[in-house]
């Protein structure tokens, strides 16, 4: 098995957590992810992931990317580019809400700087940041309910409200992207 992370400190603890998660009967990918996450939070070690990102930074970058993918899926349905499927919208929205609930713990103090796109404002205005994350979770929950109800009009309205909550957070708490040439 190719273990993709280079662990700088407390390798035995991370490895033990990985083995423990595997023995619990979890799926391999889920177990590896949870073991690394738990080891990082329980031991406060410095763990290096792909491209020099600390594991916690890599995990939050992956979560944000996953939320973006779910938004694209939902957006294609509410814009009529794909067939509207309320159950898929509900499922995607629930994933977004779940990621949002778990994401605030992926921003420990000292986890800013390259390669993260998180602005220092996250830690300067922690209360505002957590309010913004909670707003996103509420918006995603409303969208999931509209999807479950099969109501395209309400799902569309809720999708755009969710997009606004994402945009508000990005404006305040994400570094500006450099202009591409």
């Amino acid at each position: 098995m190719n273990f993709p992370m280079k662990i700088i400190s407390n390798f035995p603890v991370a490895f033990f957590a990985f083995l423990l998660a595997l023995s619990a009967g979890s799926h391999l990918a889920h177990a590896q992810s949870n073991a690394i996450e738990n080891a990082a939070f329980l031991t406060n070690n410095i763990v290096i992931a792909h491209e020099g990102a600390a594991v916690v930074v890599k995990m939050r970058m992956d979560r944000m990317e996953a939320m973006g993918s779910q938004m694209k899926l939902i957006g294609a349905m509410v814009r009529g580019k794909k067939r509207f499927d309320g159950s898929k919208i509900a499922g995607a929205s629930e994933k977004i809400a779940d990621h949002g609930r778990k994401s605030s713990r992926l921003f420990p103090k000292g986890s800013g700087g390259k390669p993260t796109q998180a602005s220092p404002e996250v830690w300067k205005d922690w209360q505002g940041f957590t309010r913004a994350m909670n707003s996103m979770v509420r918006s995603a929950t409303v969208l999931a309910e509209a999807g479950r109800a099969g109501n395209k009009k309400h799902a569309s309205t809720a999708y755009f409200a969710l997009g606004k909550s994402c945009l508000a957070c990005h404006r305040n708490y994400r570094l500006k992207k450099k202009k591409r040439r």
Side-chain angles (χ1 to χ4, degrees):
M1 179 172 148
N2 183 12
F3 191 70
M5 307 295 166
K6 177 183 174 192
I7 301 178
I8 293 179
S9 65
N10 290 334
F11 177 80
V13 173
F15 186 69
F16 175 74
F18 175 70
L19 291 176
L20 186 62
L22 278 177
S23 68
S26 301
H27 297 302
L28 181 60
H30 183 70
Q32 182 179 5
S33 173
N34 282 346
I36 292 167
E37 184 176 342
N38 291 339
F41 284 108
L42 293 175
T43 64
N44 292 325
N45 15 333
I46 299 172
V47 184
I48 302 300
H50 303 288
E51 300 177 25
V55 165
V56 71
V57 173
K58 175 75 171 121
M59 287 169 38
R60 75 179 177 228
M61 291 169 85
D62 289 347
R63 284 220 174 123
M64 295 298 171
E65 189 175 307
M67 285 191 281
S69 295
Q70 299 303 317
M71 287 293 287
K72 286 178 185 175
L73 172 72
I74 298 166
M77 285 188 230
V78 300
R79 288 186 171 107
K81 293 180 181 178
K82 286 190 174 185
R83 186 181 63 79
F84 181 85
D85 184 334
S87 64
K88 285 185 180 179
I89 288 177
S93 301
E94 288 166 357
K95 287 178 186 175
I96 292 169
D98 186 53
H99 285 315
R101 282 184 210 97
K102 295 176 180 174
S103 288
S104 64
R105 68 180 175 165
L106 296 177
F107 289 85
K109 286 184 180 181
S111 65
K114 289 189 178 190
T116 183
Q117 295 176 358
S119 165
E121 281 302 307
V122 168
W123 297 278
K124 288 179 187 172
D125 181 21
W126 184 253
Q127 199 171 28
F129 174 71
T130 55
R131 260 194 316 270
M133 290 296 280
N134 290 337
S135 173
M136 185 269 299
V137 169
R138 283 189 301 275
S139 295
T141 303
V142 169
L143 177 54
E145 291 169 2
R148 273 191 293 282
N151 189 320
K152 187 174 181 178
K153 182 179 177 185
H154 287 138
S156 180
T157 301
Y159 167 77
F160 288 108
L162 175 57
K164 285 181 183 179
S165 72
C166 293
L167 183 61
C169 192
H170 287 185
R171 279 189 184 144
N172 294 317
Y173 303 108
R174 185 175 75 174
L175 295 173
K176 308 294 181 238
K177 291 183 179 182
K178 293 183 179 179
K179 293 188 180 194
R180 297 181 183 143
R181 295 176 189 212

